[in-house]
Each structure stands twice: as structure tokens, then as C-alpha cells.
Amino acid sequence: MAKAAPAEAMSSRRLHPTAQRILAAARRILTERGYQGLTLQAISIEAGVNKAGVWYYFGGKEQLVLALLEEVAVTESHHFGARPAADATLDDRIDLIVGSAEQVKERVGRFAAFYELLPEASRDAELREHLMAYYQGWYSWAGEVLTPTGTPGKTPAPRSASVGQFASVLLDGIFMQMVVAAPDFDLETALQDARQTLGYLLDPATDGPSRRP
């Protein structure tokens, strides 16, 4: 398998240690207690700082939530932004998007806070706007990854771009099944089917690439 190029740095933001502690505390609360438990009082107690500290570093809860979204969705993503090697096959490119079962389990654990934020987007226009920007970035990246070899640096072919968007639908569905711990959900089979579906959409003549488990 061709080795993917390292992910590009998605954010150069460097936070003060106290701000990092506040952000980590907010993430723990969001993951363990949900959005309703994410109050300034809870954050200040968990982080060991007073409420004024939260306001000083983030300007309030709304700005803290946006910083948390960036932390979870971008900075903590270990594959978003990675580029396939120049000689990557279609299988390699799809693997970079889908990942292995172990990688998916790890991602679900890291992204638990992200899924707690999703329902709030229907009530918070600014959060919704940031989520839309994140997804647009993911669509663009996936389209570039799936663009056939030989077109480096070019705009993704329309088919690759649309399949990149569909990959997000597939993976979000799989991730949500993992989050809710759906009984009898077979992760390996779901990922295998996702690979075969993406392969067929990109290259119907092959009747779906011969996928590795």
C-alpha cells in the first residue's frame, strides 16, 4: 500500500496553558454530561479556574464552544488533511477516507464531543455556520483524495467531488451507530460495504474494487 503524506497542519493556533486546561475541561464535560451540562460554573470547577478566566481567554460560552469545535473537528483529526502518495491506487485512496475498524473506533472516541454539538446546530446559527464550513472543508479534501492519479493540484473531478460528499454521509452514519452502540452492529462489514460502494461509484467498470479487510 502506498503511504499517505502527513496531514497538513489545520490550525496554527497556540493557546495559553490555562486556556488549554479550560478547553480540555469543557471537552470532558461535553463528552460525559452533554451540552446541557456545559455551563460556565461546571467548566470553571472542572478546570480549576474562576469564571472570569473563561471570559478572559474565550469571551464566554459561545466562543468557547466554537474553539472546542475547532479542537475536536480539526486539530484532533489525525487523517483529515492527509494526502495520498502520488502512486496511490484507488484502494489506497478509499482506505485513507474510510480507515480501518481500529482507526474508526479511535476516531469515534476522539469525536464524541463533536457529536454532542451537532444537535445544537439547529438552534445556534453561528455554530451551524462553523459546522457547515467544517463539512465543506471535509468535502473538498475527500474530493481531492479521490481524484484520479495524474491530476495533482487540480480541482477534483465532479464525480470525485460528489462521491467525497457521499463518503461523509456513509461515515457519519457508521460513526453514529458506534456512538449509540447499536446492538449487533457489524463494524467490519459496514466498512467493507462502504469501501465497495465508494469503489463502484468511482469505477463502475470494475464492479467495485477488490477490497482488503
Side-chain angles (χ1 to χ4, degrees):
M1 178 190 296
K3 187 175 181 180
E8 298 173 359
M10 300 302 295
S11 173
S12 60
R13 187 178 185 179
R14 301 188 67 84
L15 296 174
H16 186 278
T18 301
Q20 292 177 2
R21 196 163 75 247
I22 292 170
L23 200 60
R27 183 173 178 175
R28 286 193 300 272
I29 292 170
L30 186 60
T31 301
E32 297 170 3
R33 310 179 207 172
Y35 189 81
Q36 296 305 315
L38 191 65
T39 65
L40 290 181
Q41 178 70 18
I43 294 167
S44 64
I45 293 173
E46 182 77 15
V49 300
N50 56 38
K51 291 182 184 179
V54 179
W55 280 95
Y56 176 78
Y57 288 107
F58 295 99
K61 180 179 175 180
E62 291 76 13
Q63 289 73 25
L64 174 59
V65 167
L66 296 180
L68 187 58
L69 173 63
E70 179 182 343
E71 173 75 9
V72 174
V74 179
T75 309
E76 275 295 304
S77 177
H78 296 173
H79 76 299
F80 178 26
R83 296 294 187 271
D87 61 345
T89 64
L90 178 59
D91 280 0
D92 293 331
R93 292 170 180 274
I94 292 174
D95 280 342
L96 181 55
I97 298 290
V98 176
S100 67
E102 287 306 312
Q103 288 172 327
V104 168
K105 290 175 183 177
E106 181 188 9
R107 290 171 193 169
V108 169
R110 290 201 313 268
F111 277 67
F114 176 81
Y115 288 104
E116 289 289 344
L117 288 175
L118 287 182
E120 296 306 312
S122 64
R123 296 180 283 272
D124 186 323
E126 189 173 7
L127 177 58
R128 181 166 63 251
E129 183 177 336
H130 280 75
L131 280 168
M132 288 170 58
Y134 164 73
Y135 271 101
Q136 283 300 133
W138 201 96
Y139 296 157
S140 297
W141 167 71
E144 291 172 8
V145 169
L146 296 174
T147 297
T149 305
T151 55
K154 293 186 178 180
T155 301
R159 189 58 174 164
S160 297
S162 63
V163 174
Q165 293 183 18
F166 182 64
S168 174
V169 175
L170 284 177
L171 294 177
D172 272 350
I174 290 173
F175 287 5
M176 287 306 298
Q177 294 297 312
M178 297 289 292
V179 169
V180 301
D184 302 323
F185 178 66
D186 188 336
L187 176 59
E188 292 281 3
T189 298
L191 294 177
Q192 178 81 354
D193 290 344
R195 294 186 190 100
Q196 290 180 335
T197 299
L198 295 176
Y200 176 76
L201 291 173
L202 289 164
D203 190 6
T206 64
D207 195 26
S210 176
R211 303 303 309 161
R212 295 179 291 274

